[in-house]
């Protein structure tokens, strides 16, 4: 299984218009082709004109075949003509699940969540729901040592975040030597409280010390799932 991380940067003021174009186009034409939408997420902290899409695929050939069908579909050409002028840039990364079972509750280690399957854990969402994407950049060749640190310290350190974890991945295509976590929170207060519990624990400090020599940078993107069921199939109650 691979996860496509597709990031669109819109011209200012076009995020709502982008969502409206999805609804106007409809989803019946997309579902048979793409099939495995994890979610669309609008940034609320960081660049305010970005929309993140996450899509699940069996492998790179599955990804290639589905996009070939998408872009050669005559019925979708009018939609592309409307939506592309809204954008400034598109970026794509390919992610694969972490080789640590505790970090892959929905994908990897025998799990492979897809739209239409039962929800896993507490994924009911409200307008205040936050999905955080945290990217940790590592020195080349450090991934094996990072997974060892996770097994020794990281799982215990991140216990306050365990119920919030959607998945942990690392980059297959794009900027390499990166680890990407996705967490769901009830709201910003919930997010800050849980991260503070990690940072203030002995386990959290031990994990930070273990990965400090290999880490080169860390950043977070805070988003909200788009309140359209077909665009946020993982989340209920939007």
């Amino acid at each position: 299984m691979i996860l496509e991380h597709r990031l669109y940067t819109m011209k200012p003021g076009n995020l709502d218009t982008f969502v409206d174009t999805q609804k106007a186009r409809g989803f019946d034409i997309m579902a048979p082709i793409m099939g495995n939408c994890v979610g669309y997420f609008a940034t609320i902290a960081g660049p305010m004109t970005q929309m993140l899409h996450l899509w699940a695929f069996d492998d790179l050939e599955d990804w290639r075949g589905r996009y070939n069908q998408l872009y050669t579909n005559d019925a979708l050409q009018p939609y592309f003509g409307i939506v592309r002028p809204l954008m400034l840039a598109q970026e794509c990364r390919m992610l694969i699940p972490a080789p640590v079972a505790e970090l892959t509750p929905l994908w990897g280690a025998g799990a492979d969540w897809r739209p239409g399957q039962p929800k896993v854990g507490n994924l009911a969402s409200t307008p205040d729901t936050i999905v955080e994407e945290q990217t940790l950049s590592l020195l080349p060749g450090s991934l094996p040592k990072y997974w060892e640190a996770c097994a020794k310290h990281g799982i215990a350190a991140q216990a306050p975040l365990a119920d919030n974890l959607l998945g942990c991945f690392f980059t297959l295509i794009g900027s390499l030597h990166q680890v990407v976590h996705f967490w769901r929170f009830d709201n910003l207060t919930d997010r800050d409280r849980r991260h503070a519990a990690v940072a203030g624990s002995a386990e959290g400090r031990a994990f930070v010390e273990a990965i400090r020599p290999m880490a080169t940078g860390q950043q977070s993107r805070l988003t909200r799932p788009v309140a359209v069921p077909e665009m946020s199939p993982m989340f209920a109650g939007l």
Side-chain angles (χ1 to χ4, degrees):
M1 175 269 174
I2 61 173
L3 193 72
E4 182 189 26
H5 179 287
R6 180 170 284 250
L7 185 65
Y8 291 176
T9 301
M10 304 292 173
K11 296 174 183 175
N14 280 332
L15 272 180
D16 289 342
T17 304
F18 176 80
V19 174
D20 289 342
T21 63
Q22 313 301 306
K23 295 189 290 186
R25 178 209 61 213
F27 300 95
D28 289 345
I29 192 172
M30 291 284 289
I33 302 172
M34 299 299 289
N36 299 308
C37 177
V38 173
Y40 285 56
F41 306 89
T43 56
I44 62 168
M48 299 302 291
T49 59
Q50 291 186 329
M51 181 73 70
L52 171 64
H53 306 189
L54 297 177
W55 296 87
F57 298 94
D58 295 339
D59 50 34
L60 288 174
E61 286 305 310
D62 182 37
W63 170 81
R64 186 197 310 273
R66 289 181 182 273
Y67 272 104
N68 283 342
Q69 293 180 58
L70 182 72
Y71 292 131
T72 58
N73 189 312
D74 290 340
L76 284 169
Q77 299 312 307
Y79 158 73
F80 291 137
I82 294 170
V83 76
R84 284 171 177 158
L86 304 176
M87 304 175 189
L88 287 174
Q90 294 174 286
E91 304 170 45
C92 179
R93 288 193 289 168
M94 293 298 183
L95 309 175
I96 55 178
V100 180
E102 293 87 346
L103 298 179
T104 56
L106 299 177
W107 299 279
D112 189 9
W113 185 89
R114 301 295 173 102
Q117 295 181 1
K119 305 297 188 295
V120 179
N122 177 22
L123 293 179
S125 297
T126 73
D128 293 327
T129 293
I130 300 296
V131 173
E132 178 177 10
E133 172 198 338
Q134 185 187 89
T135 300
L136 176 68
S137 298
L138 302 172
L139 290 169
S142 295
L143 272 172
K145 292 182 180 178
Y146 178 82
W147 302 130
E148 290 175 6
C150 282
K152 186 174 182 179
H153 300 290
I155 304 304
Q158 295 185 25
L161 294 168
D163 291 340
N164 304 83
L165 182 65
L166 298 177
C168 175
F169 300 82
F170 63 101
T171 48
L172 172 68
I173 296 174
S175 297
L176 299 180
H177 319 296
Q178 291 186 334
V179 176
V180 184
H181 283 86
F182 294 98
W183 292 291
R184 173 219 169 273
F185 300 101
D186 291 339
N187 47 49
L188 284 170
T189 300
D190 181 38
R191 182 256 181 192
D192 292 346
R193 175 177 61 83
R194 291 179 184 273
H195 277 299
V198 173
S201 69
E203 294 89 349
R205 291 190 290 271
F207 183 53
V208 168
E209 288 305 312
I211 66 173
R212 190 190 303 277
M214 64 188 86
T216 63
Q218 180 175 300
Q219 60 183 4
S220 283
R221 183 192 315 277
L222 301 185
T223 73
R224 283 208 169 100
V226 173
V228 177
E230 295 88 349
M231 298 173 73
S232 295
M234 176 175 284
F235 301 92
L238 284 169

